[in-house]
Amino acid sequence: MVVEFSGLAGVMAEEYARRAGESAEVARALAEMELPRSAGGALPAGGAGAVLSLADRFDLVTGMFVIGAAPTGSSDPFGVRRAAIGLLNVLRSTPALAGIHVNEALRAAADRFAAQGVEVPAERLTEAAELITRRYEQQLTDAGHEHRLVQAVLVRADRPAHGDRTLATLERHVGTEAFDGLTAAFQRVVRILPPDGAEAGADAVDRSPLTAPAELRLAESAQAVREALTGREDDLAALIEVSAPLVVAINAFFDDVLVMDPDPAVRAARLALLDDVARLARTIIDWRAL
C-alpha cells in the first residue's frame, strides 16, 4: 500500500496498529512518526510520536552519509535536507525534547548501525551535524533574524531550542549599555587567546605569578560569576545579569597588566587566567561574531 501510495505512510501504520489491538496512543505515535511531511507541515502532537519522528530522521540522515548519498548542490534525491529540516522543527517545537543534543542523537543512530555490522566513520557524523547546522542557520536567516546574531548563536545548533532562546535574549539585549559593555569585554579576552578558543594546557599552568591587584581582582570576579551561574551555565540572560563586576575587572586588567609579559611564566599565567574568563561564556554564543 505505502509503496504504491507513499502519502499513506503513517496513515496505514496507524490503521494496522488499531486493528492489531494496539492502544490509541501507540497507533497515533506510529502515524505521527511521518510528521512533518514538509518543511512547514504539521508536527507530532504527542511525545511518543515526536520521539519516533526524530529517531526516523536521525537514522535516515546518518545512513545516507554512511553510504555516500549526502546531498550535493541542488541534488538531494533521498530527501536528506528535508529530514534535517524536519528533525530541527521537532526539536525546536517540542519543549520536552529540547535537551536532546544533535551530535548525541547522530551517535546513537551510528551505534544502531554498528550493532548491525556497519561502522560509521566519525567524519561522516561531523558532516551530518554540519548539514543540520547549516539548515538551522538557513531557518533563522529566512525568519529575518540579523545575520551577525544568527552567527553568534550557531554554537548552540547542537540544541536548537536553546539556540532559539539565546537568540531571543540577544535580540532583547543587543544595543543596551550592559550588553555592549559585556560584549566588548569578552571580545578583548577572546581576541588575545588562540583562534580555537583555548590556551593549550591552561588548567595545568602555575598561577602563582598572578600577584598584581588587577589579576587577583579578575580571578575573584570570574569565580564569583562562575558560582552565580551554577546550574545556569548556558543561560545568556543570567550571565548578563551578574556580569557587571566582571566587565569592570576585565577592563581594569587590560589597562593595568601587560598580558604578553616577557617572562614566559607570567605570560602563561595571565593567558590561563583569561582562558578561565572565556570559559564562562564560550559555549553560550560566539562573541567574535558580534
Side-chain angles (χ1 to χ4, degrees), residues 16 55 88 91 108 112 134 139 141 182 220 226 233 261:
Y16 285 135
L88 280 168
L91 287 173
R112 299 304 302 158
R134 297 282 75 84
Q139 287 183 331
T141 301
L182 176 63
E220 292 169 359
R226 186 174 296 106
E233 290 83 0
D261 192 273

Side-chain angles (χ1 to χ4, degrees), residues 92-171:
R92 296 177 67 189
S93 305
T94 311
L97 304 181
I100 291 178
H101 292 252
V102 167
N103 286 304
E104 290 179 1
L106 290 170
R107 283 195 295 270
D111 288 343
R112 299 304 302 158
F113 281 108
Q116 300 171 69
V118 180
E119 292 300 324
V120 181
E123 57 266 28
R124 297 291 86 81
L125 295 184
T126 300
E127 293 167 2
E130 179 63 18
L131 169 74
I132 294 170
T133 296
R134 297 282 75 84
R135 292 303 95 198
Y136 181 52
E137 178 184 14
Q138 191 64 53
Q139 287 183 331
L140 296 180
T141 301
D142 289 346
H145 298 287
E146 186 181 341
H147 174 74
R148 69 187 179 108
L149 303 187
V150 171
Q151 296 305 306
V153 302
L154 283 185
V155 295
R156 311 300 299 277
D158 190 44
R159 288 194 296 171
H162 289 257
D164 291 348
R165 287 199 291 273
T166 301
L167 179 57
T169 300
L170 262 180
E171 291 176 332

Side-chain angles (χ1 to χ4, degrees), residues 221-277:
S221 296
Q223 181 59 29
V225 169
R226 186 174 296 106
E227 293 173 358
L229 292 179
T230 300
R232 301 185 296 169
E233 290 83 0
D234 290 335
D235 189 336
L236 179 60
L239 175 64
I240 296 170
E241 179 184 326
V242 302
S243 65
L246 178 62
V247 170
V248 173
I250 291 172
N251 292 330
F253 176 84
F254 280 103
D255 289 343
D256 298 347
V257 170
L258 175 64
V259 177
M260 307 307 284
D261 192 273
D263 185 330
V266 174
R267 181 171 65 249
R270 288 173 178 170
L271 286 171
L273 173 59
L274 291 177
D275 190 70
D276 289 343
V277 174

Side-chain angles (χ1 to χ4, degrees), residues 186 233 239 276-287:
F186 267 112
E233 290 83 0
L239 175 64
D276 289 343
V277 174
R279 288 190 211 183
L280 294 171
R282 183 173 287 147
T283 61
I284 296 179
I285 59 172
D286 180 358
W287 297 94

